[in-house]
Amino acid sequence: MQGEGEIAFPALLESLARGEPSPRLIRGRPPDLDTLPFVDRDLFDVRAELDHSFYPGVLGLDPPLVTIIAGRGCTYNCSFCQPAERLLFGPAVRRRSVASVIAELRELRDRYAFRSLMIHDDCLLEDPAWVVDFARAYRAESFGSPSTARAGPT
Ligand code: SF4
């Protein structure tokens, strides 16, 4: 499979269930990120993430730490990961709405009372207007305390 799997992979499973042959190459289709369910953290050892403190002496990301992804893709051209990143996610950064990210963070606050947040996007700061909107919404929600709830490097 090449690309994003949320649409193509279930379609493949349905096709195989009908007894159709598996194609040699399956090209994924980029989903609208706001239509995807939040990460099901019961599927992995979320406690390992919550209790993990990223570089505590440097970043001070105190546990409980939660991580999210707010968007996919990157517009830069570092040889470290291009053109793979573009092949996977396309040429532009696609971002969830601020409302969607805040809704996931509310759920994480209610479940885990997180004190630190790491946003794992490859290109978070590429859209300053989104970042400002997010920061305002984040602040209005009073997630964690101002001294401990910090965004990690992305
Ligand atoms: S994801 Fe990071 S390493 Fe890759 S192109 Fe973007 S900025 Fe460069």
Side-chain angles (χ1 to χ4, degrees):
M1 177 171 295
Q2 182 186 69
E4 295 164 77
E6 285 93 349
I7 297 172
F9 189 60
L12 170 67
L13 295 180
E14 288 168 12
S15 155
L16 293 177
R18 289 192 297 272
E20 297 167 7
S22 173
R24 282 178 57 84
L25 175 65
I26 300 156
R27 294 192 193 282
R29 281 193 287 145
D32 174 349
L33 298 181
D34 273 1
T35 67
L36 299 179
F38 301 153
V39 171
D40 183 351
R41 290 170 170 83
D42 292 332
L43 293 175
F44 59 92
D45 181 10
V46 69
R47 184 48 55 190
E49 178 176 272
L50 292 167
D51 293 344
H52 189 70
S53 183
F54 254 85
Y55 308 108
V58 181
L59 299 175
L61 293 174
D62 299 327
L65 166 76
V66 294
T67 65
I68 60 165
I69 293 176
R72 294 178 180 175
C74 183
T75 54
Y76 296 108
N77 287 302
C78 311
S79 57
F80 174 72
C81 73
Q82 295 292 16
E85 174 100 5
R86 261 194 306 279
L87 285 172
L88 188 58
F89 296 123
V93 176
R94 287 155 35 239
R95 213 173 292 284
R96 293 166 61 189
S97 66
V98 167
S100 167
V101 175
I102 292 293
E104 183 173 7
L105 289 175
R106 280 191 202 116
E107 187 177 291
L108 293 173
R109 175 187 59 196
D110 294 347
R111 289 188 73 174
Y112 307 120
F114 70 89
R115 298 181 68 209
S116 301
L117 163 67
M118 177 166 281
I119 301 175
H120 271 303
D121 292 30
D122 291 321
C123 207
L124 178 68
L125 303 179
E126 171 262 359
D127 182 353
W130 187 97
V131 176
V132 169
D133 286 349
F134 172 73
R136 287 192 177 122
Y138 187 96
R139 187 174 202 175
E141 290 285 335
S142 302
F143 292 121
S145 75
S147 62
T148 54
R150 303 176 186 130
T154 57

